[in-house]
Amino acid sequence: MSKEPLKKIGICADHGGFELKEKIKSFLKKNHFELVDFGAMELDETDDYPDFVIPLAKAVAANEVFRGIAICGSGVGACVAANKVSGIKAALITDYFSAHQGVEDDDMNIICLGGRVTGYAASEEYVEVFLNAKFIGAERHLRRLRKIQKLELKNRE
Ligand code: RB5
């Protein structure tokens, strides 16, 4: 993995993703990423993913962290919650191609994973390629994102 030590990465999980979060944290620390953990800080079967995902998503949208990793049991709830925050482009990732193409074409800034669905080794590969991918920024990509941003701005009215 290429080293990008100055880029802070936000991570969070509810109880459904807690174990995977801890695995990914070790993997990223070994690879010299600086991590900000938005919780959960311990396994609590009664916790709720929005309590962790929304603060993480706000931090990504405010550029307080470079990108985010949001994990719940399936990855679905995390993805739904993250995308409610203006400026967030989150996707539930279950394949290698989408993990980088989502950044390259769509400027994905949060990767969502299912702790009960996707194994450790595959998750690490998805996270690695997601963090190293770069938005291409071609006019067609920007045009599409502007259409989404227009809706976000309208929703604020
Ligand atoms: C929690 O049990 C589970 O519903 C949650 O982690 C997630 O899978 C929601 O999408």
Side-chain angles (χ1 to χ4, degrees):
M1 181 185 284
S2 70
K3 291 183 186 176
E4 300 209 29
L6 297 177
K7 285 184 176 167
K8 281 189 204 168
I9 308 302
I11 191 164
C12 77
D14 71 350
H15 56 281
F18 185 79
E19 202 182 324
L20 180 58
K21 172 167 78 74
E22 296 308 304
K23 293 267 185 193
I24 290 175
K25 276 171 65 180
S26 311
F27 171 72
L28 291 177
K29 278 180 194 160
K30 267 188 236 149
N31 286 284
H32 310 283
F33 280 93
E34 191 180 340
L35 283 170
V36 182
D37 191 340
F38 287 81
M41 297 308 178
E42 59 188 5
L43 182 60
D44 172 0
E45 294 292 337
T46 67
D47 67 14
D48 301 323
Y49 59 81
D51 295 334
F52 313 113
V53 175
I54 294 170
L56 165 71
K58 285 182 174 172
V60 173
N63 287 316
E64 290 163 15
V65 293
F66 169 59
R67 284 179 193 158
I69 303 161
I71 313 170
C72 64
S74 63
V76 173
C79 188
V80 170
N83 278 311
K84 296 293 178 193
V85 174
S86 185
I88 291 304
K89 285 144 278 180
L92 171 54
I93 294 298
T94 58
D95 69 277
Y96 190 87
F97 173 75
S98 303
H100 62 87
Q101 197 257 6
V103 176
E104 290 157 359
D105 284 21
D106 309 313
D107 199 25
M108 172 171 65
N109 50 16
I110 293 185
I111 185 172
C112 302
L113 296 166
R116 293 173 178 155
V117 179
T118 305
Y120 302 140
S123 295
E124 287 176 0
E125 287 191 356
Y126 301 161
V127 165
E128 176 180 353
V129 76
F130 161 70
L131 293 177
N132 287 319
K134 289 181 177 53
F135 177 50
I136 292 168
E139 177 48 34
R140 67 184 185 283
H141 302 141
L142 294 168
R143 182 181 70 235
R144 291 160 192 161
L145 289 173
R146 276 196 300 270
K147 291 182 181 184
I148 297 167
Q149 198 180 29
K150 201 172 155 190
L151 176 65
E152 285 183 330
L153 292 172
K154 200 161 182 275
N155 286 344
R156 278 193 214 161
E157 287 167 7

mmCIF file of all heavy atoms in Angstrom, residues 9-10 15 17 21 47 62 70 73 76 87 92 96 111 121 125 128 142 145 148 151-152:
data_model
loop_
_atom_site.group_PDB
_atom_site.id
_atom_site.type_symbol
_atom_site.label_atom_id
_atom_site.label_comp_id
_atom_site.label_asym_id
_atom_site.label_seq_id
_atom_site.Cartn_x
_atom_site.Cartn_y
_atom_site.Cartn_z
ATOM 1 N N ILE A 9 -8.000 9.335 8.110
ATOM 2 C CA ILE A 9 -9.114 8.524 7.629
ATOM 3 C C ILE A 9 -10.084 8.326 8.788
ATOM 4 O O ILE A 9 -9.681 7.897 9.875
ATOM 5 C CB ILE A 9 -8.613 7.134 7.156
ATOM 6 C CG1 ILE A 9 -7.445 7.256 6.159
ATOM 7 C CG2 ILE A 9 -9.764 6.319 6.575
ATOM 8 C CD1 ILE A 9 -7.730 8.045 4.917
ATOM 9 N N GLY A 10 -11.354 8.612 8.556
ATOM 10 C CA GLY A 10 -12.375 8.383 9.579
ATOM 11 C C GLY A 10 -12.942 6.978 9.436
ATOM 12 O O GLY A 10 -13.083 6.464 8.319
ATOM 13 N N HIS A 15 -22.510 -2.324 16.267
ATOM 14 C CA HIS A 15 -22.170 -3.667 16.745
ATOM 15 C C HIS A 15 -22.032 -4.686 15.610
ATOM 16 O O HIS A 15 -21.245 -5.612 15.702
ATOM 17 C CB HIS A 15 -23.222 -4.146 17.759
ATOM 18 C CG HIS A 15 -24.621 -4.121 17.223
ATOM 19 N ND1 HIS A 15 -25.367 -2.964 17.149
ATOM 20 C CD2 HIS A 15 -25.413 -5.104 16.718
ATOM 21 C CE1 HIS A 15 -26.551 -3.243 16.630
ATOM 22 N NE2 HIS A 15 -26.598 -4.530 16.361
ATOM 23 N N GLY A 17 -20.712 -4.207 12.798
ATOM 24 C CA GLY A 17 -19.462 -4.029 12.066
ATOM 25 C C GLY A 17 -18.259 -3.852 12.962
ATOM 26 O O GLY A 17 -17.144 -3.632 12.479
ATOM 27 N N LYS A 21 -14.336 -3.431 11.946
ATOM 28 C CA LYS A 21 -13.691 -2.117 12.167
ATOM 29 C C LYS A 21 -12.340 -2.296 12.860
ATOM 30 O O LYS A 21 -11.354 -1.696 12.443
ATOM 31 C CB LYS A 21 -14.583 -1.197 12.994
ATOM 32 C CG LYS A 21 -13.872 0.110 13.410
ATOM 33 C CD LYS A 21 -14.822 1.153 13.952
ATOM 34 C CE LYS A 21 -15.274 0.945 15.365
ATOM 35 N NZ LYS A 21 -14.250 1.236 16.402
ATOM 36 N N ASP A 47 -26.435 -0.737 20.288
ATOM 37 C CA ASP A 47 -26.139 0.583 19.696
ATOM 38 C C ASP A 47 -26.759 0.727 18.305
ATOM 39 O O ASP A 47 -27.236 -0.245 17.709
ATOM 40 C CB ASP A 47 -24.630 0.884 19.709
ATOM 41 C CG ASP A 47 -23.821 -0.031 18.794
ATOM 42 O OD1 ASP A 47 -24.403 -0.726 17.946
ATOM 43 O OD2 ASP A 47 -22.575 -0.033 18.932
ATOM 44 N N ALA A 62 -16.973 18.059 5.914
ATOM 45 C CA ALA A 62 -16.291 19.287 6.352
ATOM 46 C C ALA A 62 -14.781 19.219 6.098
ATOM 47 O O ALA A 62 -14.039 20.107 6.525
ATOM 48 C CB ALA A 62 -16.545 19.506 7.838
ATOM 49 N N ALA A 70 -17.415 3.324 6.751
ATOM 50 C CA ALA A 70 -18.572 3.162 7.635
ATOM 51 C C ALA A 70 -19.061 1.714 7.543
ATOM 52 O O ALA A 70 -19.340 1.220 6.442
ATOM 53 C CB ALA A 70 -19.680 4.128 7.235
ATOM 54 N N GLY A 73 -23.854 -4.072 9.975
ATOM 55 C CA GLY A 73 -23.961 -5.509 9.707
ATOM 56 C C GLY A 73 -23.979 -5.818 8.222
ATOM 57 O O GLY A 73 -23.216 -6.642 7.721
ATOM 58 N N VAL A 76 -25.820 -1.575 4.614
ATOM 59 C CA VAL A 76 -26.939 -0.828 4.028
ATOM 60 C C VAL A 76 -27.307 0.383 4.881
ATOM 61 O O VAL A 76 -27.397 1.520 4.389
ATOM 62 C CB VAL A 76 -28.172 -1.741 3.829
ATOM 63 C CG1 VAL A 76 -29.376 -0.927 3.386
ATOM 64 C CG2 VAL A 76 -27.866 -2.820 2.803
ATOM 65 N N GLY A 87 -23.064 16.525 0.586
ATOM 66 C CA GLY A 87 -21.658 16.439 0.163
ATOM 67 C C GLY A 87 -21.100 15.033 0.245
ATOM 68 O O GLY A 87 -19.998 14.766 -0.224
ATOM 69 N N LEU A 92 -22.150 1.216 -0.742
ATOM 70 C CA LEU A 92 -21.906 -0.113 -0.175
ATOM 71 C C LEU A 92 -21.079 -0.892 -1.190
ATOM 72 O O LEU A 92 -21.518 -1.114 -2.326
ATOM 73 C CB LEU A 92 -23.243 -0.810 0.093
ATOM 74 C CG LEU A 92 -23.188 -2.280 0.491
ATOM 75 C CD1 LEU A 92 -22.285 -2.507 1.685
ATOM 76 C CD2 LEU A 92 -24.590 -2.789 0.773
ATOM 77 N N TYR A 96 -14.166 -5.333 -5.958
ATOM 78 C CA TYR A 96 -12.913 -4.571 -6.099
ATOM 79 C C TYR A 96 -13.052 -3.433 -7.112
ATOM 80 O O TYR A 96 -12.610 -2.311 -6.873
ATOM 81 C CB TYR A 96 -11.813 -5.544 -6.525
ATOM 82 C CG TYR A 96 -10.422 -4.966 -6.486
ATOM 83 C CD1 TYR A 96 -9.666 -4.999 -5.310
ATOM 84 C CD2 TYR A 96 -9.852 -4.403 -7.623
ATOM 85 C CE1 TYR A 96 -8.384 -4.478 -5.268
ATOM 86 C CE2 TYR A 96 -8.563 -3.874 -7.586
ATOM 87 C CZ TYR A 96 -7.847 -3.919 -6.406
ATOM 88 O OH TYR A 96 -6.586 -3.399 -6.371
ATOM 89 N N ILE A 111 -16.697 4.726 2.003
ATOM 90 C CA ILE A 111 -16.936 3.329 1.628
ATOM 91 C C ILE A 111 -17.721 2.680 2.765
ATOM 92 O O ILE A 111 -17.379 2.849 3.940
ATOM 93 C CB ILE A 111 -15.606 2.579 1.353
ATOM 94 C CG1 ILE A 111 -15.857 1.163 0.834
ATOM 95 C CG2 ILE A 111 -14.689 2.533 2.576
ATOM 96 C CD1 ILE A 111 -14.588 0.447 0.356
ATOM 97 N N ALA A 121 -10.272 -10.214 4.494
ATOM 98 C CA ALA A 121 -9.273 -10.049 3.426
ATOM 99 C C ALA A 121 -9.836 -9.205 2.294
ATOM 100 O O ALA A 121 -9.182 -8.274 1.806
ATOM 101 C CB ALA A 121 -8.831 -11.411 2.912
ATOM 102 N N GLU A 125 -8.743 -5.278 1.012
ATOM 103 C CA GLU A 125 -8.429 -4.932 -0.386
ATOM 104 C C GLU A 125 -9.313 -3.784 -0.866
ATOM 105 O O GLU A 125 -8.847 -2.874 -1.553
ATOM 106 C CB GLU A 125 -8.620 -6.146 -1.286
ATOM 107 C CG GLU A 125 -7.544 -7.179 -1.099
ATOM 108 C CD GLU A 125 -7.548 -8.269 -2.160
ATOM 109 O OE1 GLU A 125 -8.449 -8.271 -3.034
ATOM 110 O OE2 GLU A 125 -6.669 -9.119 -2.096
ATOM 111 N N GLU A 128 -8.142 -0.540 0.816
ATOM 112 C CA GLU A 128 -6.845 -0.108 0.271
ATOM 113 C C GLU A 128 -7.014 0.569 -1.090
ATOM 114 O O GLU A 128 -6.511 1.676 -1.313
ATOM 115 C CB GLU A 128 -5.918 -1.318 0.141
ATOM 116 C CG GLU A 128 -4.583 -0.964 -0.503
ATOM 117 C CD GLU A 128 -3.659 -2.165 -0.625
ATOM 118 O OE1 GLU A 128 -3.988 -3.234 -0.092
ATOM 119 O OE2 GLU A 128 -2.609 -2.008 -1.254
ATOM 120 N N LEU A 142 -17.933 15.640 -13.622
ATOM 121 C CA LEU A 142 -18.284 16.881 -12.918
ATOM 122 C C LEU A 142 -19.722 17.281 -13.224
ATOM 123 O O LEU A 142 -20.461 17.730 -12.346
ATOM 124 C CB LEU A 142 -17.313 17.994 -13.317
ATOM 125 C CG LEU A 142 -15.861 17.763 -12.863
ATOM 126 C CD1 LEU A 142 -14.914 18.736 -13.546
ATOM 127 C CD2 LEU A 142 -15.752 17.868 -11.351
ATOM 128 N N LEU A 145 -22.037 15.151 -11.173
ATOM 129 C CA LEU A 145 -22.008 15.529 -9.754
ATOM 130 C C LEU A 145 -22.698 16.870 -9.520
ATOM 131 O O LEU A 145 -23.331 17.070 -8.482
ATOM 132 C CB LEU A 145 -20.558 15.547 -9.240
ATOM 133 C CG LEU A 145 -19.924 14.160 -9.114
ATOM 134 C CD1 LEU A 145 -18.447 14.265 -8.764
ATOM 135 C CD2 LEU A 145 -20.658 13.306 -8.085
ATOM 136 N N ILE A 148 -26.322 16.376 -8.968
ATOM 137 C CA ILE A 148 -26.642 15.900 -7.621
ATOM 138 C C ILE A 148 -26.536 17.057 -6.627
ATOM 139 O O ILE A 148 -27.401 17.251 -5.764
ATOM 140 C CB ILE A 148 -25.694 14.743 -7.214
ATOM 141 C CG1 ILE A 148 -25.896 13.559 -8.157
ATOM 142 C CG2 ILE A 148 -25.928 14.324 -5.765
ATOM 143 C CD1 ILE A 148 -24.823 12.487 -8.058
ATOM 144 N N LEU A 151 -29.504 19.326 -6.518
ATOM 145 C CA LEU A 151 -30.603 18.801 -5.696
ATOM 146 C C LEU A 151 -30.325 19.033 -4.209
ATOM 147 O O LEU A 151 -31.213 19.435 -3.443
ATOM 148 C CB LEU A 151 -30.799 17.311 -5.966
ATOM 149 C CG LEU A 151 -31.853 16.609 -5.115
ATOM 150 C CD1 LEU A 151 -33.249 17.145 -5.409
ATOM 151 C CD2 LEU A 151 -31.816 15.098 -5.349
ATOM 152 N N GLU A 152 -29.074 18.831 -3.828
ATOM 153 C CA GLU A 152 -28.714 19.056 -2.414
ATOM 154 C C GLU A 152 -28.956 20.509 -2.032
ATOM 155 O O GLU A 152 -29.482 20.794 -0.959
ATOM 156 C CB GLU A 152 -27.241 18.705 -2.177
ATOM 157 C CG GLU A 152 -26.981 17.218 -2.135
ATOM 158 C CD GLU A 152 -25.525 16.893 -1.819
ATOM 159 O OE1 GLU A 152 -24.629 17.687 -2.163
ATOM 160 O OE2 GLU A 152 -25.293 15.822 -1.249
#
